[in-house]
């Protein structure tokens, strides 16, 4: 039973491969793909099959997927380019006769008005149309999106108001993804995944509590937050996407309100206090 993991050279994909290995999936039945395969030489050294493949080069995807049974499809990372890239992945999966896909989507993809959601909606539709049995892993926000050590000096900034975000660690999302793809069949088609809902004021308060420092959250308008991010060196288009995500988060777009993650993890999601402690260590 061979499982391909896309984005394995990135943070989430690597953690998912690690999680598959710790679940007992034999290394030679995992195919880890990405472009910068030098980053995962350590996985190759442990017996994982590592193949270079690009979402922009269909023939590399077809070669990587040949003979595989399942696909953990980690979404691509450049907003604006993802629809054709994801179509290439789905076409290659179809050609290879892949029998099950788990795709990392975004919270409430089917109803979300976030700019970030549009490519996920298109991908979910294309996956459904492909006829390949697919699990949608609708991830909320990563804790790692926040620079908590930086917040010790400068505080936290955003535009999410008092909206709750279902923040969880990448490691928890990766473990959930590994569980979803490793399972036989499909127990549930859509998982709304994330941690316990928390406002950014509450996140700042937890950082303050643990550090003993005066860490507060400053809420900006989406426009001011875009300017703030651009001032930090974030490219303007991406800054606008991030500020738009906070705009939606203020209205609940990143709050899952489910315990779906626990179903996949088979344990409670990592408590925010523990994740904050690890992030500050
Ligand atoms: N929910 C959230 O809070 C959140 C936050 C950030 C990202 N995300 C999404 O979750 C995904 C995984 O997150 P992450 O933290 O692991 O991101 P990451 O560390 O930036 O990894 C992105 C992965 O995508 C691969 N990739 C990008 N363009 C590619 C291409 N053209 N062809 C093949 N592979 C390509 C990269 O591989 P190479 O560069 O080696 O090719 C890398 O393995 C992201 O891609 C994004 O869709 C979600």
């Amino acid at each position: 039973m061979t499982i391909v993991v896309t984005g394995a050279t990135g943070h989430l994909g690597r953690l998912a491969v690690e999680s598959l290995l710790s679940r007992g999936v034999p290394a030679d039945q995992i195919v880890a793909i990405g472009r910068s395969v030098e980053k995962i030489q350590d996985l190759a050294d442990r017996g994982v099959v590592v193949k270079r493949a690009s979402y922009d080069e269909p023939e590399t995807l077809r070669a990587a997927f040949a003979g595989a049974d399942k696909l953990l499809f980690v979404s691509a990372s450049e907003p604006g380019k993802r629809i054709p890239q994801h179509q290439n992945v789905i076409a290659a999966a179809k050609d290879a006769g892949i029998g099950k896909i788990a795709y990392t989507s975004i919270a409430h993809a089917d109803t979300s008005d976030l700019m970030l959601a549009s490519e996920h909606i298109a991908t979910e539709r294309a996956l459904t149309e492909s006829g390949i049995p697919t699990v949608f892993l609708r991830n909320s926000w990563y804790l790692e999106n926040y620079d908590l050590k930086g917040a010790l000096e400068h505080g936290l900034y955003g535009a999410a108001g008092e909206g709750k975000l279902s923040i969880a660690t990448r490691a928890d999302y990766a473990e959930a993804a590994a569980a979803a793809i490793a399972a036989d069949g499909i127990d549930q088609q859509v998982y709304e995944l994330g941690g316990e809902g928390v406002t950014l004021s509450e996140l700042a308060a937890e950082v303050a509590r643990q550090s003993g420092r005066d860490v507060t959250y400053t809420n900006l308008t989406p426009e001011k937050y875009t300017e703030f991010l651009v001032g930090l060196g974030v490219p303007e288009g991406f800054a606008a996407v991030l500020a738009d995500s906070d705009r939606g988060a203020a209205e609940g777009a990143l709050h899952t309100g489910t315990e779906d993650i626990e179903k996949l993890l088979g344990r409670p999601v990592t408590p925010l206090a523990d994740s904050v402690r690890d992030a500050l260590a």
Side-chain angles (χ1 to χ4, degrees):
M1 180 63 65
T2 302
I3 303 174
V4 180
V5 180
T6 75
T9 52
H11 295 91
L12 186 86
R14 163 186 279 277
L15 288 166
V17 171
E18 297 278 3
S19 182
L20 287 170
L21 290 169
S22 42
R23 300 178 74 84
V25 177
D28 64 0
Q29 290 178 23
I30 302 172
V31 180
I33 71 167
R35 291 167 303 179
S36 319
V37 286
E38 66 284 355
K39 290 188 192 159
I40 50 171
Q41 182 55 45
D42 60 310
L43 293 177
D45 293 342
R46 289 158 66 191
V48 171
V49 181
V50 170
K51 293 186 182 172
R52 186 200 166 277
S54 167
Y55 296 136
D56 302 300
E57 299 168 35
E59 64 288 359
T60 63
L61 296 168
R62 277 196 294 272
F65 293 178
D69 303 290
K70 295 178 177 181
L71 171 65
L72 175 53
F73 179 5
V74 174
S75 50
S77 52
E78 291 176 89
K81 294 191 178 173
R82 295 191 284 187
I83 293 178
Q85 291 180 331
H86 289 179
Q87 281 168 342
N88 288 340
V89 172
I90 296 164
K94 187 105 185 142
D95 284 356
I98 296 262
K100 175 178 170 183
I101 297 178
Y103 169 67
T104 62
S105 185
I106 194 165
H108 309 296
D110 52 341
T111 53
S112 178
D113 74 344
L114 297 190
M115 286 163 76
L116 263 183
S118 61
E119 290 167 313
H120 290 295
I121 296 167
T123 305
E124 287 196 4
R125 282 204 190 113
L127 283 162
T128 302
E129 283 162 14
S130 76
I132 303 172
T134 300
V135 180
F136 298 132
L137 303 167
R138 292 186 179 157
N139 292 344
S140 176
W141 237 214
Y142 299 169
L143 179 71
E144 290 81 357
N145 293 343
Y146 300 96
D147 174 11
L148 298 187
K149 284 187 179 159
L152 293 174
E153 305 299 327
H154 312 295
L156 266 186
Y157 288 79
E162 286 305 300
K164 284 193 184 290
L165 294 87
S166 298
I167 293 172
T169 60
R170 269 204 203 93
D172 275 2
Y173 290 116
E175 197 178 322
I181 199 62
D184 296 331
I186 292 181
D187 298 327
Q188 184 171 321
Q189 204 197 357
V190 177
Y191 289 89
E192 295 283 350
L193 300 174
E196 202 182 309
V198 62
T199 66
L200 295 186
S201 303
E202 289 165 348
L203 177 59
E206 183 58 27
V207 175
R209 187 185 71 78
Q210 292 198 22
S211 63
R213 308 268 280 267
D214 181 22
V215 179
T216 56
Y217 169 60
T218 304
N219 196 56
L220 305 172
T221 63
E223 295 72 24
K224 289 281 177 210
Y225 186 43
T226 306
E227 283 172 25
F228 171 85
L229 291 169
V230 169
L232 294 179
V234 177
E236 198 162 341
F238 192 52
V241 166
L242 293 176
D244 175 73
S245 299
D246 265 29
R247 189 263 325 143
E251 296 155 15
L254 292 172
H255 185 224
T256 64
T258 74
E259 292 181 354
D260 282 358
I261 198 162
E262 308 196 344
K263 293 184 197 167
L264 288 171
L265 294 175
R267 60 164 172 82
V269 71
T270 305
L272 185 75
D274 293 3
S275 321
V276 168
R277 187 198 59 227
D278 291 348
L280 293 176

